[in-house]
Amino acid sequence: MNAIERVAAYMHEHALTLVTAESCTAGLIAATLADVAGAGSLLDCAFVVYSPQAKMRCLGVTPATLARHNLTSEPVAREMALGASRQSPALIAISNTGVTDSVDDDIPAGTQCYAWVFKAGQADAAPAIYAETRRFSGNRNGIRLASARYALQRLVEYHAELTGKPKPR
C-alpha cells in the first residue's frame, strides 16, 4: 500500500470527506486522491482558483488579505480553505497556493502555502485550522505533485493530532 492509499484508508476508517481549494496544484490534490479506488466516497468537490479574482469570487478571499499578504501566503491559504469549507458539507478542506517558478525575488521557487480546516462535530462550533508553508525543489510538475501528496499526508497527521487517534504506519 502506498502513502496515498494509506491516506484513503485512514479517511474511510474515520468517515472523512474532503473539499479542496487549489491554486498552484490546479486540482492535483483531488486528482491524486481520486487515483485510489473508492475515492468517490471521500471527495465532495474541488475548487481550482488560479487568479486572485477567482479566489475572491469563488471562495471569499478578501481583497485586503490579498493586498496585505500576497497570493503565496498562509493567510490567503486559510481564507481559501475556509471558503471551500463553507461551500461544502465535507468535513475537511485543504487549500494550496504557491509558486513553482521564481517570479518574485521575495518568494523562492517551490514555495507552497497550505491550510487544513477540520469541521467540528456541531454546526455552530468553530473549525480547527492548521496552516504551514513548505518549500519543494525540482521542476514545475514535480513540485506540484510533491505538494499535492504532502497536503494529503498532512491531512492524516493533523486529524490524528486533533482527535488523539494514532497515525497509521
Side-chain angles (χ1 to χ4, degrees), residues 56-128:
M56 291 184 287
R57 184 178 61 252
C58 299
L59 300 174
V61 174
T62 66
T65 299
L66 289 167
R68 191 175 313 125
H69 298 285
N70 195 325
L71 286 171
T72 301
S73 67
E74 289 179 24
V76 169
R78 279 188 196 95
E79 287 191 10
M80 288 172 62
L82 285 166
S85 184
R86 284 190 297 272
Q87 301 281 346
S88 169
L91 298 174
I92 301 170
I94 296 175
S95 68
N96 162 268
T97 185
V99 295
T100 57
D101 308 310
S102 191
V103 294
D104 183 334
D105 291 338
D106 295 333
I107 303 171
T111 302
Q112 303 291 299
C113 299
Y114 304 92
W116 295 261
V117 170
F118 295 85
K119 289 182 180 174
Q122 299 158 343
D124 61 346

Side-chain angles (χ1 to χ4, degrees), residues 8-18 41-42 89-92 159:
Y10 182 91
M11 290 178 68
H12 279 296
E13 180 182 334
H14 298 284
L16 301 175
T17 51
L18 178 65
S41 64
L42 304 176
L91 298 174
I92 301 170
H159 184 264

